[in-house]
Amino acid sequence: MHEDYISKHFYHKIKSSEITNDIYKSPTFIEYYNYATELNDLSFYKKVLGKNEKILEIGTGTGRIFTPLRKSGYNITGIELSKEMMSCIPSKFRQFVKNMSIFELGNEKKEYDAVIIPATTISLFSFAEIEKILTLLRKILKKNGNIFFDIIDSNFFLETSNQLQKESFENTTYYFTNFINGNKIVYNIYAKNHLGYSVKYMHTDQDINSLFTNFNFKKVFVESNNSYKMMHWRLGDE
Ligand SMILES: C[S@@+](CC[C@H](N)C(=O)[O-])C[C@H]1O[C@@H](n2cnc3c(N)ncnc32)[C@H](O)[C@@H]1O
């Protein structure tokens, strides 16, 4: 239900707004959202990945990271659940993206040097789902293969919880807030009669550490970056 995920600050906007739970698909929000969350992560992925490596991106979305990496000569393929998101990728690159869910992986060989999961996609999944994901990724990653991903930093959101904030960007004023619903953090954004929300799990550092360690991954680094943490884990000898 939308109502569970709309802050009291925006109740009065529900009837008059177009509501979306996919900010990434929304032309009204996507540019501001990327700017506000400082997702300038392309250079990071270019730096840590090698052009001779076989790379898999989980949830390529509109190809924000996938397309420029492929264009720059990286040997990257991807999977994406939503056909609509994939349709934004130019067809000569889209052929390297499979329309499937991460939970259908596993039939591939142990062939990948690296898996990337950008834009806090991992925070869309529960603890139990991440356990399933790690079981599958362990099957397809080579020995000492790497996982790079970012995860929301709940401390950042807790500090501003329930505050209504606003910011102007390219001639539009965006209103936004976030609040806690159980073990999830809900983000709301409003502009121009559009109301967007996204729901992400707040996994603790202990959760992530014990999950990855149990699946024989070793932490290479964690880098805090305001609203998210960038992580690099490496699969041990199998
Ligand atoms: C936050 S977006 C990130 C898109 C892109 N990686 C980027 O960096 O801009 C998350 C993407 O994961 C996709 N996704 C969600 N659940 C998925 C699943 N179970 N299997 C594969 N893709 C999934 C969504 O459709 C969406 O395109």
Side-chain angles (χ1 to χ4, degrees):
M1 288 297 288
H2 285 320
E3 282 73 6
D4 291 343
Y5 296 124
I6 303 298
S7 152
K8 58 182 186 323
H9 293 298
F10 295 124
Y11 281 166
H12 64 292
K13 297 290 187 192
I14 290 179
K15 281 208 174 108
S16 59
S17 297
E18 197 173 303
I19 301 182
T20 175
N21 67 352
D22 205 336
I23 291 171
Y24 262 86
K25 260 190 241 169
S26 162
T28 312
F29 299 130
I30 184 59
E31 281 183 17
Y32 171 73
Y33 187 67
N34 281 342
Y35 151 80
T37 50
E38 294 177 28
L39 276 180
N40 45 10
D41 48 351
L42 178 61
S43 56
F44 168 82
Y45 287 108
K46 281 188 170 168
K47 194 173 65 189
V48 295
L49 299 169
K51 290 198 179 165
N52 55 348
E53 290 180 333
K54 196 165 164 48
I55 306 156
L56 178 71
E57 180 178 354
I58 308 289
T60 55
T62 55
R64 186 184 66 87
I65 292 289
F66 180 83
T67 301
L69 285 182
R70 189 88 221 174
K71 263 190 193 158
S72 307
Y74 288 84
N75 181 11
I76 184 168
T77 54
I79 61 166
E80 168 55 51
L81 190 60
S82 155
K83 273 200 171 141
E84 201 182 339
M85 297 289 266
M86 282 171 61
S87 67
C88 302
I89 301 176
S91 54
K92 70 173 180 177
F93 300 128
R94 200 188 314 138
Q95 57 175 308
F96 301 106
V97 180
K98 276 193 198 159
N99 178 219
M100 63 184 272
S101 168
I102 189 169
F103 299 108
E104 294 165 311
L105 279 174
N107 295 325
E108 293 75 5
K109 287 186 235 122
K110 222 171 164 46
E111 59 190 346
Y112 290 97
D113 298 289
V115 167
I116 65 169
I117 319 177
T120 65
T121 301
I122 200 99
S123 302
L124 295 172
F125 300 107
S126 67
F127 190 90
E129 285 170 327
I130 300 178
E131 278 190 324
K132 280 188 203 147
I133 291 171
L134 292 182
T135 309
L136 297 170
L137 294 186
R138 201 170 153 180
K139 287 187 189 161
I140 66 165
L141 273 169
K142 285 183 190 165
K143 177 177 155 183
N144 302 142
N146 296 300
I147 302 187
F148 299 95
F149 63 93
D150 54 352
I151 186 161
I152 60 162
D153 187 343
S154 41
N155 290 329
F156 175 85
F157 292 99
L158 293 174
E159 278 167 21
T160 55
S161 185
N162 284 315
Q163 288 173 21
L164 180 63
Q165 301 179 69
K166 70 173 181 175
E167 187 172 19
S168 291
F169 174 71
E170 293 183 354
N171 299 327
T172 302
T173 302
Y174 293 85
Y175 296 85
F176 54 94
T177 189
N178 55 266
F179 62 96
I180 294 156
N181 180 327
N183 63 343
K184 295 176 190 157
I185 187 97
V186 184
Y187 172 80
N188 283 186
I189 179 167
Y190 174 85
K192 297 191 286 193
N193 293 330
H194 285 71
L195 186 51
Y197 69 90
S198 82
V199 184
K200 296 207 164 142
Y201 284 91
M202 295 192 291
H203 298 298
T204 63
D205 287 350
Q206 290 96 310
D207 282 351
I208 294 297
N209 287 344
S210 71
L211 259 172
F212 278 75
T213 311
N214 286 344
F215 282 88
N216 193 24
F217 285 91
K218 293 187 175 52
K219 195 191 285 176
V220 184
F221 71 72
V222 177
E223 230 173 63
S224 278
N225 224 328
N226 221 2
S227 60
Y228 64 90
K229 288 179 194 169
M230 192 61 93
M231 296 200 175
H232 175 188
W233 290 81
R234 180 170 292 143
L235 186 60
D237 294 342
E238 295 270 282

